[in-house]
Amino acid sequence: GGADAAGAAYRTALRTQPGGYTAIAYADFLIAQGRPREARVVLHGQPDSDAVLLRIAIADPAGDAGRAAADELRRRFAQADLRPGAGAGHARERALFSLHITRDAEAALRHARENVKTQREPLDLFVLLLSAQAAGDAAALAWARQLIQETGLEDRRIEALL
């Protein structure tokens, strides 16, 4: 809940140990704070992973970079879907893409459910909860709440949604 302290911690982390995961997490933070332009700056120079492209698409949905990132993700997802079993890969990114870019809550929930089968980071449970709410799926909301309770997760973003 301390945005100023969190921002300072991210900047320190990027200075002392720069890396893709930190840049992505900081970009998520900046986007959530309504600072998408700064998120794009943080992502500049990062490899074009699905996670980086997704954040660019979210941070700049109407801009050339955002549209290009979204188009590239569509191509990558379509290619992955051609390989047996590969469609479930990067389910978190697919869920977020469905929520923020295509605005398809049902697809977001489907991908978020798939993701939570193997991933239980706070972001994964947050995405599941967001997707369940967007889809208006009471059973999925109950399941998300149960998983959050079982894990003992304490997260201000999640608490704000509950």
Side-chain angles (χ1 to χ4, degrees), residues 7-162:
Y10 276 121
R11 289 187 297 279
T12 298
L14 282 173
R15 265 195 322 274
T16 59
Q17 290 186 320
Y21 290 114
T22 304
I24 290 166
Y26 188 30
D28 283 344
F29 168 80
L30 291 168
I31 291 166
Q33 294 292 308
R35 298 160 54 192
R37 215 174 288 162
E38 292 174 61
R40 288 193 53 222
V41 170
V42 168
L43 295 171
H44 182 75
Q46 293 296 320
D48 285 342
S49 67
D50 290 354
V52 169
L53 289 172
L54 173 66
R55 274 58 180 199
I56 292 169
I58 292 170
D60 187 26
D64 291 341
R67 286 194 301 273
D71 288 345
E72 176 61 21
L73 285 170
R74 283 185 188 91
R75 281 190 288 280
R76 289 181 184 191
F77 294 157
Q79 287 293 315
D81 289 341
L82 295 175
R83 296 186 305 272
H90 298 274
R92 177 196 301 159
E93 282 73 24
R94 286 176 175 234
L96 287 167
F97 186 83
S98 296
L99 271 176
H100 295 287
I101 305 303
T102 64
R103 308 275 189 218
D104 184 343
E106 298 298 325
L109 181 54
R110 186 175 61 253
H111 294 303
R113 280 181 170 141
E114 186 66 34
N115 181 54
V116 171
K117 290 179 184 176
T118 58
Q119 301 290 323
R120 296 282 172 91
E121 295 176 39
L123 181 57
D124 301 307
L125 295 171
F126 179 65
V127 170
L128 176 64
L129 187 59
L130 280 177
S131 300
Q133 285 183 339
D137 188 316
L141 277 169
W143 183 53
R145 287 184 180 117
Q146 177 186 349
L147 289 174
I148 291 163
Q149 185 177 20
E150 286 173 4
T151 61
L153 177 64
E154 293 182 23
D155 185 304
R156 294 273 171 100
R157 299 168 302 173
I158 290 173
E159 291 167 10
L161 295 175
L162 294 175

